[in-house]
Amino acid sequence: MGVLNTTPDSFSDGGRYLAPLSAVARGLQMIAEGADIIDVGGESTRPGSEPVSVEEELSRVIPVIEQLTSRTKTPISVDTVKPEVAEAAVAAGAQMINDVSNLRDSDHSARIAARYGAHLVLMHSRGTPETMTGLCDYADVVTDVLRELSSSVEKARSLGVHKERIWLDPGIGFAKTAEQSVELLARLDEIVALGYKVLVGPSRKSFIGKISGADVDDRVGGTAAAVSTAVFLGAKAVRVHDVSVMRQAAAVASAAAAARKRRAAGRMDSAFSLREVFGDV
Ligand code: HH2
């Protein structure tokens, strides 16, 4: 999933794709680099960012979504917490709603996804961009995130969103310390085990800077390591800025995961055949 922020203030690509023409060109470029989904956002969620009005967000994302859906078959996702924006985006052809609020204050995105048959990303978060850095208290971050995601899954399903169209995201960096983001990555298989498709968004985030000391424009290596870890542990999609490099990292991690699965299956086969020969000893 390629990140397309039509914002002046996103932490990494803010201000670069504010004009619809340059945003559309960037979207098409990421598709050419191998993106399978383009995630269009018009409001930054970085800690401390300013909220924008519905009108402003609509004017940033809708022309871009209309252009992209008319020029490509690649599915478009809308990264928004506003019902008006989610609905207008889906009406303009977006096939996925990426709701970083995890249905906390409102279930509108689940209702819209159910009505239009759109995919729905439920991303774990707490509070708002202004308050989230103070909301990192967890007994066990993975268990608590799992519990909070599960309750929004129940809500979404009870509102009619099909299981196959629900994606879960641990929300790297959203009300998480760097250590907690690493813990969620390292134990991603526990989230995968819930049985829903998992999406992870580690791209260029501050936990990489904290671990490596790298500036935001110099975190491709750390992002590739995070992407590889996530894919190896079962993530079905990764939300990234650097599409072609991450596609390569994901392909290698996915091949390694498949080799490991084959080996595990082979071990079971040989255990079975030994049992057939020697009985249970
Ligand atoms: N991260 C960001 C925004 N949206 N959506 C999902 N599902 N998962 C994420 O991890 C995620 C997300 C924040 O990154 P970015 O869009 O690059 O920056 P900003 O919020 O400053 O626009």
Side-chain angles (χ1 to χ4, degrees):
M1 171 187 268
V3 179
L4 185 54
N5 286 318
T6 61
T7 56
D9 56 346
S10 287
F11 81 95
S12 153
D13 56 353
R16 293 181 61 185
Y17 310 113
L18 197 49
L21 262 183
S22 60
V24 172
R26 175 66 183 150
L28 295 174
Q29 182 190 12
M30 289 192 288
I31 292 167
E33 286 179 17
D36 296 318
I37 306 170
I38 300 296
D39 188 40
V40 183
E43 178 176 51
S44 174
T45 50
R46 101 187 129 78
S49 57
E50 290 287 318
V52 299
S53 68
V54 172
E55 293 68 34
E56 178 66 27
E57 197 177 325
L58 283 170
S59 76
R60 288 179 186 173
V61 300
I62 300 303
V64 176
I65 292 173
E66 282 172 348
Q67 277 286 319
L68 285 175
T69 51
S70 71
R71 293 174 63 171
T72 168
K73 290 201 172 0
T74 299
I76 306 301
S77 156
V78 62
D79 185 349
T80 188
V81 295
K82 296 192 180 74
E84 299 86 348
V85 178
E87 181 140 24
V90 172
Q95 295 177 38
M96 177 181 257
I97 302 171
N98 176 18
D99 183 351
V100 302
S101 81
N102 195 28
L103 310 182
R104 217 175 18 254
D105 303 325
S106 136
D107 54 21
H108 68 267
S109 53
R111 290 181 190 278
I112 297 165
R115 186 158 4 109
Y116 288 86
H119 287 249
L120 176 65
V121 179
L122 299 171
M123 192 204 78
H124 181 270
S125 62
R126 287 176 172 178
T128 61
E130 299 88 71
T131 62
M132 66 185 177
T133 46
L135 298 170
C136 301
D137 270 347
Y138 299 90
D140 173 75
V141 68
V142 178
T143 312
D144 294 358
V145 163
L146 269 172
R147 192 186 50 250
E148 289 168 37
L149 280 177
S150 300
S151 84
S152 14
V153 165
E154 257 173 53
K155 217 186 275 179
R157 291 198 63 179
S158 73
L159 290 168
V161 186
H162 196 275
K163 180 174 186 211
E164 294 305 317
R165 299 206 178 98
I166 294 178
W167 296 69
L168 300 183
D169 185 328
I172 299 292
F174 286 80
K176 319 284 177 341
T177 62
E179 291 75 13
Q180 289 163 344
S181 288
V182 171
E183 182 92 14
L184 282 161
L185 262 183
R187 293 169 56 193
L188 196 74
D189 49 335
E190 294 177 45
I191 298 175
V192 170
L194 274 187
Y196 292 85
K197 289 188 280 276
V198 170
L199 165 72
V200 186
S203 192
R204 303 182 185 172
K205 282 190 177 164
S206 63
F207 78 100
I208 298 172
K210 184 133 190 246
I211 293 169
S212 65
D215 287 338
V216 66
D217 291 332
D218 189 25
R219 294 181 184 159
V220 176
T223 302
V227 160
S228 307
T229 305
V231 170
F232 189 73
L233 294 176
K236 283 277 179 288
V238 284
R239 183 181 179 277
V240 297
H241 301 85
D242 306 286
V243 171
S244 73
V245 175
M246 298 314 153
R247 229 197 129 91
Q248 194 180 105
V252 173
S254 164
R260 200 175 163 84
K261 264 195 201 134
R262 276 198 303 277
R263 171 75 178 140
R267 277 217 190 98
M268 276 173 59
D269 286 351
S270 51
F272 281 129
S273 52
L274 283 176
R275 205 171 295 143
E276 274 162 27
V277 178
F278 298 112
D280 274 327
V281 286

